[in-house]
Amino acid sequence: MVILGVRYLHGCPEEPFLPIYLLVGGCFGMLKMFTIIWRHLRERKNAQSFDVLDGEYQSDFITNRSTQFTDTVLSLFLLSWFIYGNYLTWKIFMPSFSSQLYTPENWCEKSLYMFCVVQICICYAIIVVFLFSTLCLLCARHICCFADKQTLISPSNNCGR
């Protein structure tokens, strides 16, 4: 995202904030990934050291709280930035991909625009797969719990026969 945002910084006069959306989203996405990796490495290091003093417990608590706060703020920012990117992308749906003589400001670089569309569609596909998987798991849990209640009520019940 960062590379395309920098490469085509002036490649979409119809919506000049589209490359900025990619640039900022890519930078903050990388920052989010770095914080996740840093947290996992720190947890791994803490799991290996068993001699922890009371003062370190306090500093770990403060560090965990600040890490959670940072993680929450980054997640909320990335969510709002994703919504803003949706607005920017769909507002100029399928722009002209070449500069026209009579409207030189109404075009957008094709690879820049198509990357934004594909990136947004992939995010929506991941959300749909996650929601569908969650729904399937909830249905399976409901069915299993219902089956367990039926066997508790009448263990000799042979499926209604």
Side-chain angles (χ1 to χ4, degrees), residues 68-80:
Q68 288 174 350
F69 177 75
T70 304
D71 190 44
T72 302
V73 168
L74 274 173
S75 297
L76 290 175
F77 175 77
L78 285 171
L79 176 66
S80 61

Side-chain angles (χ1 to χ4, degrees), residues 26-144:
C27 289
F28 278 89
M30 284 191 304
L31 180 63
K32 173 88 170 155
M33 287 293 124
F34 286 139
T35 60
I36 290 170
I37 291 169
W38 178 72
R39 184 178 62 223
H40 284 294
L41 290 175
R42 195 184 75 222
E43 287 173 1
R44 205 172 206 197
K45 184 184 131 200
N46 288 342
Q48 292 176 353
S49 64
F50 293 108
D51 51 341
V52 178
L53 301 173
D54 290 337
E56 290 182 71
Y57 280 128
Q58 184 68 19
S59 68
D60 274 354
F61 175 74
I62 292 170
T63 304
N64 282 340
R65 297 287 292 201
S66 65
T67 303
Q68 288 174 350
F69 177 75
T70 304
D71 190 44
T72 302
V73 168
L74 274 173
S75 297
L76 290 175
F77 175 77
L78 285 171
L79 176 66
S80 61
W81 198 251
F82 176 71
I83 293 168
Y84 179 64
N86 275 274
Y87 168 74
L88 293 176
T89 303
W90 301 122
K91 181 175 80 168
I92 60 166
F93 183 71
M94 295 307 284
S96 174
F97 295 125
S98 61
S99 179
Q100 305 290 327
L101 183 59
Y102 53 91
T103 56
E105 297 295 315
N106 289 341
W107 67 279
C108 195
E109 184 68 39
K110 185 175 183 175
S111 56
L112 173 74
Y113 184 78
M114 294 310 289
F115 181 82
C116 289
V117 170
V118 169
Q119 181 254 342
I120 288 171
C121 290
I122 287 173
C123 288
Y124 280 127
I126 290 171
I127 291 170
V128 166
V129 167
F130 175 76
L131 291 176
F132 182 72
S133 300
T134 303
L135 182 67
C136 288
L137 289 173
L138 288 174
C139 288
R141 181 173 182 234
H142 179 72
I143 290 169
C144 289

